[in-house]
Amino acid sequence: MRITCPFCGERELGEFTYLGDAKPQRPAADAGEDAVYDYVYLRDNIAGVMSEHWYHGGGCRAWLKVTRNTLTHEISAVEPAAGAGAAKVGA
Amino acid sequence: MRGDQANRLNDGGLIDRSTPLNFRFDGKILFGFKGDTLASALIANGVKLVGRSFKYHRPRGILTAGSEEPNALVELRSGARREPNTKATTAELYEGLEAASQNRWPSLKFDVMSVNQLFAPIFVAGFYYKTFMWPAKFWEAIYEPAIRRAAGLGRAAGVSDPDHYDKAWAHCDVVIAGSGPAGLAAALAAGRSGARVILCEEDFVLGGRLLADGGTIDGLPAAEWIARAVAELEAMPDVRIMTRTTLFGVYDGGTYGAIERVNDHLPVPPKHQVRQRLWRIVAKRCVVAAGAIERPIVFAGNDTPGVMMASAMRSYINRYAATPARRIALFTNNEDGWRTAETAIATGLQVAAVIDARPDVSPAHRALAGRGGFPVLHGSVSGVDGGKNGVRKISVSLTGGARGEVEADGLAVSGGWNPAVGLTSYHRGRPKWRDDIAAFVPDGAPPGMAAAGAANGAFGLGACLREGFEAGAAAARDAGHSGNIGSMSVADDEAFSLTPLWHVAGKGKAFVDQQHDVTASDVELAQREGFESVEHLKRYTTLGMATDQGKTSNIAGLAIMAAVSGKSIPETGTTIYRPPYVPVAIGAFAGHHRDENFHATRLTPSHHWAVEQGAVFVDTGLWKRAQWYPRAGEKDWLESVTREVKAVRSGVGFCDVSTLGKIDVHGPDAGAFLDRVYINAFSSLAVGKARYGLMLREDGIVYDDGTTSRLAEDHYFLTTTTAKAGLVMQHLEFCRQVLFPELDVQLTSVSDQWAQFSIAGPKTRDLLKEIVDPAEDLSSEGFPFMGAREVALRGGLKARLFRISFSGEMAFEISVPARYGEAMARNLMIAGKPFGVTPYGTEALGVMRIEKGHVAGPELNGTTTAADLGLGKMMSTKKDFIGRVMAAREALVAPNRQVVVGIKPTDKARRLRSGAHIIPKGETPGPENDQGYVTSVCFSPVLDQWIGLGLVERGRERIGEIVRAHDPLRGEDYDVELCNSVFYDPDGGRQRG
Ligand SMILES: [Zn+2]
């Protein structure tokens, strides 16, 4: 498997580290324990296309948002994860 | 020099008769030629018996001429290079080759374990489960060793492999598996179009079946066409031909695994060369032209030496000029098998009879029978007479019920051909059944892959060339190449007719899987006992689970299962195909990553100096760290470590702490960023000061700790623990990029850029004054405790100086560019000589941190909170930070949590051991009374006794309580006192002094 880093180009899997679901957004400071609990622990277990966080530690050290099909491992999009997990405006 | 190769034809074949080779089989010296395999050379020497079978120790010969071989497995080479279970059919002959037969004792011809056959009833399918059920403890002690001795394959060398293995990457447009007519045609089309092509051939010669079966292509004899095609391919700069290379697997994103047997054909790899190389080939497209495997027909005695696949017999005769038999019988159910009779007649061998299971035989073959003077018997082979000396007599069940007998010393068998559907099925693809050829063919393939030729069920030579050429052209086109592909090579297609026949009923054992000794009756038994699914059949009988992975047996097994269960073959289906296609040595997967190169080694900047000092090193992750510096006369490590600690506490010592993770944090929002990742505040830290910081995970558990200094308004220098250096960098980048993109901050890993030394002890300033420029004020006022700033050294070099202490002594840490690290160590030794400077290692460092009650790895164990570590007060209530909310959860603030506390045995002479469990006095040891455990221990030179830290329930409220340290692992149980975790200088006067 290879991932095309938007900064470095197509690179081998071994250069990357997987984190997990890129969907959860870190709750605002006043969001309360339940919201943070959900953020820390609750994940969908998706059989199909999902967006994930990957770290290009063996390259540019960018965190990437990778759209990957968990059934086929097909990667349909890779973009910088900048701000992907940031608290919503008004936080 | 050629020896008595009684079964070698006088001419012909692709062997190099000008290069005779001698070799040994079971100690006997034999001769062959360059171009032989071990199998062909054995055949040329008249050797029929090559091994004993796995369970029944039946005599076995050579069944095939390729990597599908189930029987002719040998131990190749000797000593450390001995390689068991090597297929004689693929092992290239070389001068001095040594091979030994396997699984026989005391000799191949007289094997006492062949009595296993008498006990055959206990070796039926599922015998492991049925026979050795009870009593359970007998299994390991008695049953398994006995079975292992009685049934088995070759012996591993038992010593370290002296050879090197390599791993490599290759990238191309089109990778092609197989160099038969389809593979060569594919390579020509793709290569001409301008694509980058890699052609993999597992054999050492290109040509595939053409090498044995010949034919006419473009009006040329096959050999000439191959030579022309290969010459054209070799002239193309972007075509790479890799012989002795098997494409064994396909992985995500068009990555293919291949094993190149670089030097297996030599006795010992030449100097500085590897034995094998594991390739990962990244290709946009793949053409599988891996051919087909001729399949046996299962009948009684089908494992007798001398019974051979019809195509293999042609290979031996035509390619190797070696005759497996003088008087050959042929048993076929298809047109193709007859080629062996044609070959035999053309070579001047006798054909005893052709037994054809089909109702009709073509007029051309009738004519051949007339010319060759042999009968054509319509029927099936029902039994074979013979033993270790090979086939003698063949029983035939004639169509209509009569019986016949044929005398022959070799029996060629053809049950049709199975396309090699492995590669195309490795992504859980299921091949589809084709009635016209009675075989499974690929039904789709992993993305980018296509099968062509015999691998795709196209058995005619013309069809192979056409499919290969078209697949090669399409693959190149898909990869973006559109050059002129020229014209396609052409040949006639042979007629193909086949009447499916899988199993002939008869008396005696009829083997389906010859390598695992699985018989037709085992398959039938499995069906009767309910193991009807092919996956159950496989596991219950072990059919197809040997080193050949059932290449000659799987389809026959499921066909027999289909017949007895009253289903069709496609209804019965195949098991899941999994890579690798051929066995790959673990050594090849490891490559150079073995022994000291198992992982990278990181050396501290002062490493070479420490080696000179005679340091003992410890592996800390990838690092080699000096653990202690023994001196002459010291009887053990403890004596050395105690001396180092005392020297530091009374004078001055230094330690290389460069392994700490170091991160420069730059930007106007650097302070705000650190406020969010640490539990305590850093934006309020004054420039020129350092502060101890603690990070949590988002779930509230402690992640890492370290000292961070503010070197400028917008520049912090952060340190991490050695173990977490990389992970903290990754975590901080996540925080910076993903969570807090609004902050203007940049992170730079500088772990390798700075050499850092801890200099500790009351005479630290005296030593530093010799190193640091005299203009720098190192006094308590000029450089107070927790001060941090850049200083000039004598000579002008800039360094970073931090007044921080892990040891509890007056101490500094000094950072210099890594290239000056070794010089710094040497200078500290010279400058410190008047003060008795003592280098100390990680062990003394650990002793002093325990004496001082500092937590480290054993306490930051992924279960502890800041409060557990006694650092709860550091948690800011004025800001949000990673882990803040979850750290407040009920269970994480529960009053009965296990917290860090000091521990010392009540008996001062007693050695405390980490891992001992804390049990209240008077209670029974056990989970219900377990209140924690000892995490870190050391012998404290200051207290002159063993002390430790532990995580103990309500520990800090119980100072002074005597509890039990219960250590069932070491069989110890003793009283310890819970005490303040700061054993040494609790008010901290020394480090501030
Ligand atoms: Zn990158």
Side-chain angles (χ1 to χ4, degrees):
Chain A
M1 195 165 123
R2 290 178 309 289
I3 295 174
T4 304
C5 172
F7 305 107
C8 309
E10 192 176 8
R11 297 298 184 93
E12 201 265 326
L13 182 66
E15 294 187 3
F16 298 87
T17 308
Y18 175 78
L19 180 72
D21 194 350
K23 210 168 56 185
Q25 293 194 298
R26 189 164 190 271
D30 58 356
E33 191 177 307
D34 288 351
V36 178
Y37 178 88
D38 286 2
Y39 167 71
V40 172
Y41 290 108
L42 296 190
R43 293 290 182 277
D44 291 333
N45 185 16
I46 296 166
V49 176
M50 105 177 249
S51 83
E52 304 168 329
H53 277 137
W54 289 76
Y55 178 59
H56 195 191
C60 60
R61 291 211 304 264
W63 276 94
L64 304 172
K65 200 169 89 179
V66 175
T67 309
R68 185 178 71 103
N69 187 323
T70 59
L71 294 175
T72 63
H73 299 180
E74 188 196 346
I75 292 169
S76 49
V78 186
E79 54 193 310
K88 293 179 193 81
V89 177
Chain B
M1 252 309 270
R2 82 184 291 278
D4 169 36
Q5 298 180 45
N7 291 351
R8 184 77 76 180
L9 295 167
N10 286 328
D11 49 37
L14 299 173
I15 46 170
D16 176 3
R17 289 168 201 265
S18 67
T19 311
L21 304 170
N22 80 69
F23 69 103
R24 278 169 195 265
F25 180 65
D26 280 345
K28 193 174 173 198
I29 295 179
L30 301 168
F31 293 89
F33 294 113
K34 189 171 158 62
D36 263 324
T37 61
L38 174 59
S40 69
L42 288 171
I43 286 169
N45 284 277
V47 176
K48 286 201 164 166
L49 175 62
V50 179
R52 289 273 173 176
S53 74
F54 180 62
K55 273 198 299 197
Y56 302 122
H57 289 246
R58 285 168 68 104
R60 292 284 165 81
I62 295 163
L63 184 71
T64 74
S67 65
E68 68 271 29
E69 176 64 30
N71 283 338
L73 306 183
V74 298
E75 290 174 354
L76 194 66
R77 301 186 171 85
S78 58
R81 291 193 168 84
R82 185 173 72 207
E83 192 182 345
N85 312 327
T86 304
K87 298 173 189 104
T89 51
T90 58
E92 276 176 65
L93 199 67
Y94 53 81
E95 176 63 26
L97 178 147
E98 282 178 79
S101 57
Q102 302 184 160
N103 200 28
R104 79 305 189 255
W105 188 84
S107 76
L108 184 56
K109 291 229 160 95
F110 176 76
D111 175 58
V112 294
M113 284 298 179
S114 58
V115 296
N116 273 5
Q117 291 191 68
L118 305 179
F119 301 118
I122 70 161
F123 279 107
V124 296
F127 78 101
Y128 275 86
Y129 312 109
K130 289 172 181 165
T131 315
F132 304 106
M133 289 280 283
W134 184 90
K137 66 179 178 188
F138 270 35
W139 176 251
E140 272 184 42
I142 296 171
Y143 296 144
E144 196 179 0
I147 294 167
R148 291 252 174 259
R149 263 200 307 280
L153 296 168
R155 304 160 299 155
V159 289
S160 186
D161 188 336
D163 292 328
H164 293 279
Y165 296 79
D166 196 11
K167 287 193 281 192
W169 286 93
H171 295 255
C172 65
D173 294 311
V174 184
V175 65
I176 299 166
S179 74
L184 286 175
L188 286 171
R192 286 172 188 165
S193 75
R196 295 166 68 200
V197 176
I198 294 176
L199 175 63
C200 297
E201 170 54 59
E202 71 174 349
D203 206 329
F204 52 96
V205 188
L206 301 174
R209 282 304 300 168
L210 292 174
L211 300 174
D213 286 343
T216 304
I217 304 173
D218 292 344
L220 299 170
E224 262 180 63
W225 180 81
I226 294 171
R228 221 174 53 169
V230 171
E232 184 181 344
L233 291 171
E234 282 175 344
M236 295 179 187
D238 285 334
V239 174
R240 175 172 192 168
I241 298 172
M242 295 173 69
T243 53
R244 304 185 174 106
T245 304
T246 309
L247 207 67
F248 65 75
V250 51
Y251 305 91
D252 290 327
T255 304
Y256 299 84
I259 183 71
E260 182 184 12
R261 288 167 290 273
V262 185
N263 281 308
D264 275 359
H265 61 295
L266 299 176
V268 174
K271 220 169 164 47
H272 308 303
Q273 284 196 30
V274 297
R275 174 170 295 285
Q276 298 181 353
R277 183 175 291 120
L278 183 83
W279 285 94
R280 281 173 286 181
I281 300 173
V282 179
K284 295 195 181 87
R285 290 291 182 272
C286 174
V287 177
V288 176
I293 294 170
E294 195 172 26
R295 63 196 183 208
I297 300 169
V298 178
F299 52 83
N302 62 336
D303 64 328
T304 310
V307 176
M308 185 180 279
M309 300 315 305
S311 57
M313 207 173 269
R314 295 199 296 280
S315 292
Y316 290 117
I317 296 170
N318 291 332
R319 175 173 171 182
Y320 301 105
T323 55
R326 306 275 167 100
R327 187 176 155 81
I328 296 167
L330 168 68
F331 177 25
T332 184
N333 67 343
N334 67 84
E335 195 72 3
D336 187 72
W338 273 85
R339 291 192 191 197
T340 303
E342 292 165 12
T343 291
I345 296 297
T347 317
L349 298 170
Q350 246 189 325
V351 174
V354 172
I355 302 108
D356 197 325
R358 298 174 300 168
D360 287 312
V361 167
S362 71
H365 287 151
R366 291 234 167 264
L368 180 73
R371 279 202 311 281
F374 60 84
V376 178
L377 307 175
H378 291 282
S380 302
V381 171
S382 56
V384 176
D385 262 6
K388 59 180 186 259
N389 296 319
V391 173
R392 284 192 307 271
K393 205 187 291 174
I394 294 152
S395 307
V396 180
S397 295
L398 296 164
T399 310
R403 310 192 68 81
E405 277 190 350
V406 175
E407 288 197 9
D409 63 346
L411 173 59
V413 180
S414 178
W417 290 81
N418 291 323
V421 294
L423 280 169
T424 50
S425 305
Y426 283 153
H427 283 193
R428 291 186 86 89
R430 299 284 190 167
K432 67 174 181 236
W433 181 255
R434 247 176 67 186
D435 267 326
D436 60 328
I437 56 171
F440 283 102
V441 296
D443 185 12
M449 183 191 278
N456 197 34
F459 294 148
L461 179 53
C464 283
L465 291 165
R466 191 167 54 247
E467 282 202 0
F469 195 78
E470 284 167 0
R477 205 166 48 238
D478 292 347
H481 295 273
S482 52
N484 179 8
I485 57 170
S487 59
M488 184 188 305
S489 291
V490 291
D492 291 338
D493 279 320
E494 307 81 358
F496 186 83
S497 91
L498 173 144
T499 300
L501 175 64
W502 307 100
H503 175 211
V504 183
K507 276 190 192 148
K509 286 196 186 311
F511 287 88
V512 181
D513 181 335
Q514 301 206 17
Q515 191 169 142
H516 259 176
D517 272 356
V518 178
T519 63
S521 55
D522 286 332
V523 177
E524 290 159 1
L525 181 70
Q527 190 271 336
R528 284 201 303 279
E529 296 188 343
F531 297 93
E532 201 166 286
S533 133
V534 284
E535 297 289 358
H536 288 159
L537 168 68
K538 171 177 167 176
R539 283 150 186 91
Y540 194 55
T541 63
T542 75
L543 169 71
M545 291 172 74
T547 66
D548 63 343
Q549 290 286 287
K551 289 188 178 63
T552 56
S553 60
N554 282 340
I555 305 296
L558 71 91
I560 293 169
M561 176 57 81
V564 294
S565 55
K567 289 181 182 162
S568 70
I569 291 173
E571 276 170 345
T572 304
T574 60
T575 53
I576 290 176
Y577 290 83
R578 293 186 179 90
Y581 185 72
V582 292
V584 181
I586 297 290
F589 284 107
H592 293 293
H593 298 283
R594 53 177 282 186
D595 304 324
E596 74 275 16
N597 298 318
F598 181 68
H599 56 61
T601 301
R602 298 179 79 179
L603 302 181
T604 62
S606 66
H607 183 82
H608 298 296
W609 164 83
V611 170
E612 284 171 26
Q613 297 292 314
V616 171
F617 292 92
V618 60
D619 287 342
T620 310
L622 303 181
W623 292 100
K624 296 264 180 225
R625 297 192 72 182
Q627 199 172 9
W628 64 86
Y629 297 82
R631 283 195 186 161
E634 287 173 347
K635 66 180 188 299
D636 60 8
W637 65 273
L638 186 56
E639 196 177 334
S640 306
V641 171
T642 301
R643 169 184 50 75
E644 290 173 14
V645 172
K646 284 179 172 167
V648 172
R649 295 235 185 272
S650 63
V652 61
F654 71 93
C655 177
D656 190 331
V657 294
S658 307
T659 60
L660 296 175
K662 307 178 207 76
I663 301 168
D664 269 335
V665 184
H666 284 280
D669 294 328
F673 175 77
L674 294 176
D675 282 349
R676 296 194 196 181
V677 298
Y678 279 123
I679 64 172
N680 46 333
F682 277 84
S683 54
S684 57
L685 184 67
V687 172
K689 297 289 275 184
R691 182 171 285 169
Y692 174 75
L694 197 66
M695 285 179 199
L696 305 186
R697 310 190 306 216
E698 195 70 275
D699 66 0
I701 297 294
V702 170
Y703 188 52
D704 200 50
D705 67 348
T707 307
T708 288
S709 313
R710 192 167 196 173
L711 300 177
E713 195 62 36
D714 60 351
H715 179 196
Y716 289 79
F717 175 68
L718 180 155
T719 64
T720 76
T721 59
T722 299
K724 290 267 172 56
L727 289 170
V728 168
M729 187 69 196
Q730 176 177 334
H731 168 70
L732 294 183
E733 285 290 6
F734 184 80
C735 295
R736 183 184 75 84
Q737 296 176 36
V738 182
L739 301 182
F740 313 128
E742 72 279 10
L743 297 181
D744 187 356
V745 61
Q746 292 298 326
L747 305 171
T748 312
S749 169
V750 292
S751 296
D752 289 334
Q753 277 65 30
W754 292 98
Q756 192 151 322
F757 293 87
S758 171
I759 305 166
K763 294 179 184 164
T764 294
R765 265 200 206 94
D766 298 329
L767 170 53
L768 270 181
K769 279 177 186 161
E770 303 293 322
I771 299 280
V772 175
D773 190 301
E776 301 282 355
D777 183 359
L778 299 180
S779 69
S780 250
E781 299 70 40
F783 214 127
F785 185 58
M786 299 309 272
R789 69 163 191 260
E790 191 179 86
V791 295
L793 304 186
R794 288 172 186 267
L797 184 68
K798 298 283 186 197
R800 289 175 180 176
L801 196 59
F802 310 90
R803 200 176 150 198
I804 52 181
S805 176
F806 198 45
S807 57
E809 295 301 331
M810 156 72 204
F812 281 86
E813 286 189 13
I814 188 164
S815 283
V816 291
R819 64 187 180 279
Y820 294 105
E822 186 175 331
M824 175 57 80
R826 293 185 192 283
N827 275 337
L828 287 169
M829 286 299 276
I830 295 164
K833 199 160 186 190
F835 317 108
V837 69
T838 302
Y840 65 97
T842 55
E843 208 59 40
L845 187 81
V847 169
M848 290 187 279
R849 75 99 185 162
I850 294 169
E851 286 182 330
K852 195 62 191 158
H854 287 309
V855 291
E859 291 78 36
L860 274 64
N861 64 4
T863 69
T864 45
T865 65
D868 296 345
L869 302 178
L871 303 169
K873 289 203 181 86
M874 282 173 62
M875 284 175 54
S876 168
T877 53
K878 299 195 185 94
K879 62 177 182 99
D880 189 26
F881 56 85
I882 300 281
R884 177 185 60 91
V885 177
M886 289 289 94
R889 278 181 294 168
E890 198 180 338
L892 268 61
V893 296
N896 63 340
R897 284 187 66 83
Q898 298 180 355
V899 301
V900 168
V901 65
I903 295 173
K904 56 185 179 188
T906 52
D907 173 2
K908 273 193 81 168
R910 159 73 76 175
R911 180 168 180 175
L912 183 65
R913 302 267 194 180
S914 58
H917 289 256
I918 301 300
I919 309 290
K921 287 287 282 179
E923 299 290 351
T924 316
E928 65 285 359
N929 291 321
D930 193 334
Q931 295 191 325
Y933 68 103
V934 180
T935 52
S936 301
V937 299
C938 72
F939 177 78
S940 165
V942 171
L943 278 75
D944 193 31
Q945 78 163 105
W946 285 84
I947 59 167
L949 301 176
L951 286 164
V952 180
E953 224 172 276
R954 297 178 189 269
R956 282 191 293 273
E957 300 163 28
R958 295 164 65 185
I959 301 298
E961 184 179 333
I962 308 295
V963 294
R964 283 169 71 183
H966 180 69
D967 190 349
L969 194 65
R970 301 180 183 92
E972 294 178 346
D973 196 317
Y974 44 92
D975 285 354
V976 295
E977 183 189 335
L978 302 179
C979 56
N980 187 338
S981 59
V982 187
F983 293 90
Y984 180 70
D985 188 30
D987 65 1
R990 292 181 71 89
Q991 62 195 20
R992 278 189 292 273

